[in-house]
């Protein structure tokens, strides 16, 4: 089973920045698309971003596009989410998740980290 | 964007009951639908992918069906550990979207 461990969550002021990391324990990290999903307090799951296996193609939710940047370092088995210009609406637990089988499209998010808490407040 | 609407949003049931949760998509998504279970303080756990394929390790009392715009998750005989929140997710197109969730509680 693949292990995913997020880090970097913190309390940050509105307008601030934060960098989340996700360390993935598998030697085939470079074979998988990777994702970020968040859950705000009292709300449901919200997809945030996806990056393909090579790191070339990236996708974002409208709510974060232009403020968040996803990247990966396949040599270090690490997924990154750079978050800028944070607002209260970004307060959430952020999960990294590995995509399942991907043909023309992916089938699922089959492994998840335990999440890291981001709180945006003055 | 493809909207997913789950029903019901809240369900009260007893151990041993058979329950069905429905997920309706605002447009056709073929079979690019997954189901997740989330318990308080825990990460989501994949149960079903490609609409009806049981994830390795998921109990066989869980089953999925449907294609196009209407999908169901069935739990054949509720166990105490099944009381949780369930989400459907479409992966047919970006932005990927989740249903609003169905909270399953013990009656």
């Amino acid at each position: 089973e693949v292990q995913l461990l997020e880090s970097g969550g913190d309390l940050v002021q509105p307008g601030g920045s934060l960098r989340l990391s996700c360390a993935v324990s598998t030697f085939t990290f470079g074979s998988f698309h990777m994702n970020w999903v968040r859950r705000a307090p009292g709300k449901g799951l919200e997809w945030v971003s996806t990056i393909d296996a090579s790191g070339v193609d990236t996708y974002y939710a409208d709510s974060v596009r232009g403020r968040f940047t996803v990247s990966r370092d396949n040599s270090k088995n690490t997924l990154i989410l750079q978050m800028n210009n944070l607002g209260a609406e970004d307060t959430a637990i952020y999960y990294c998740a590995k995509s399942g089988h991907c043909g023309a499209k992916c089938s699922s998010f089959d492994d998840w980290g335990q999440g890291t808490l981001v709180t945006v407040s003055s | 964007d493809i909207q997913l609407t789950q029903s019901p949003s809240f369900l009260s049931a007893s151990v041993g009951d058979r329950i069905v949760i429905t997920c309706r998509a605002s447009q056709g998504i073929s079979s690019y639908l997954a189901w997740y279970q989330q318990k308080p303080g825990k990460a989501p756990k994949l149960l079903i992918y490609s609409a009806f394929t049981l994830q390795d390790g998921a109990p066989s009392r869980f089953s999925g069906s449907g294609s196009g715009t209407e999908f169901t998750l069935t739990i054949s005989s509720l166990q105490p550990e099944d009381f949780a929140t369930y989400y459907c997710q479409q992966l047919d197109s970006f932005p990927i979207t989740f249903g609003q969730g169905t909270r399953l509680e013990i009656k």
Side-chain angles (χ1 to χ4, degrees):
Chain A
E1 183 179 335
V2 177
Q3 304 290 325
L4 298 90
L5 182 63
E6 303 93 338
S7 60
D10 205 347
L11 171 63
V12 60
Q13 292 190 342
S17 297
L18 212 53
R19 179 181 170 96
L20 304 184
S21 296
C22 174
V24 183
S25 66
T26 173
F27 65 91
T28 57
F29 176 71
S31 300
F32 302 111
H33 295 12
M34 293 294 298
N35 310 276
W36 289 98
V37 176
R38 67 186 181 184
R39 184 173 185 184
K43 299 291 183 67
L45 298 174
E46 179 188 16
W47 170 77
V48 172
S49 182
T50 294
I51 185 167
D52 77 345
S54 66
V56 170
D57 292 325
T58 57
Y59 306 85
Y60 298 95
D62 286 346
S63 57
V64 307
R65 184 176 293 111
R67 301 187 298 122
F68 289 13
T69 302
V70 63
S71 61
R72 64 191 296 161
D73 185 338
N74 286 348
S75 68
K76 296 182 179 178
N77 283 18
T78 300
L79 175 70
I80 301 292
L81 185 68
Q82 177 66 43
M83 305 187 295
N84 298 330
N85 191 21
L86 286 161
E89 68 277 8
D90 298 313
T91 293
I93 297 172
Y94 285 73
Y95 300 97
C96 64
K98 169 186 154 295
S99 286
H101 172 73
C102 296
K105 304 176 187 183
C106 295
S107 62
S108 65
F109 294 176
D110 60 358
D111 287 297
W112 296 65
Q114 285 303 301
T116 187
L117 178 61
V118 172
T119 303
V120 184
S121 175
S122 55
Chain B
D1 298 3
I2 297 173
Q3 310 300 319
L4 296 180
T5 303
Q6 290 181 230
S7 61
S9 294
F10 177 83
L11 182 57
S12 181
S14 301
V15 172
D17 284 354
R18 175 181 178 274
I19 68 101
V20 178
I21 299 170
T22 298
C23 178
R24 289 187 173 88
S26 59
Q27 62 192 75
I29 58 171
S30 185
S31 296
Y32 292 103
L33 188 103
W35 290 96
Y36 300 86
Q37 176 193 68
Q38 189 173 31
K39 296 181 180 180
K42 300 294 187 181
K45 175 184 175 184
L46 175 65
L47 296 173
I48 301 282
Y49 64 93
S50 301
F52 58 83
T53 304
L54 189 68
Q55 171 69 353
D56 289 347
S60 59
R61 62 182 178 274
F62 292 92
S63 63
S65 66
S67 67
T69 61
E70 185 150 340
F71 302 84
T72 59
L73 173 71
T74 300
I75 309 175
S76 60
S77 179
L78 277 171
Q79 298 301 301
E81 60 268 29
D82 299 338
F83 293 93
T85 300
Y86 293 84
Y87 295 92
C88 58
Q89 176 202 37
Q90 69 81 19
L91 300 101
D92 180 74
S93 64
F94 289 100
I96 292 170
T97 48
F98 289 90
Q100 81 278 15
T102 295
R103 184 177 171 191
L104 176 56
E105 292 199 341
I106 299 174
K107 184 182 289 184

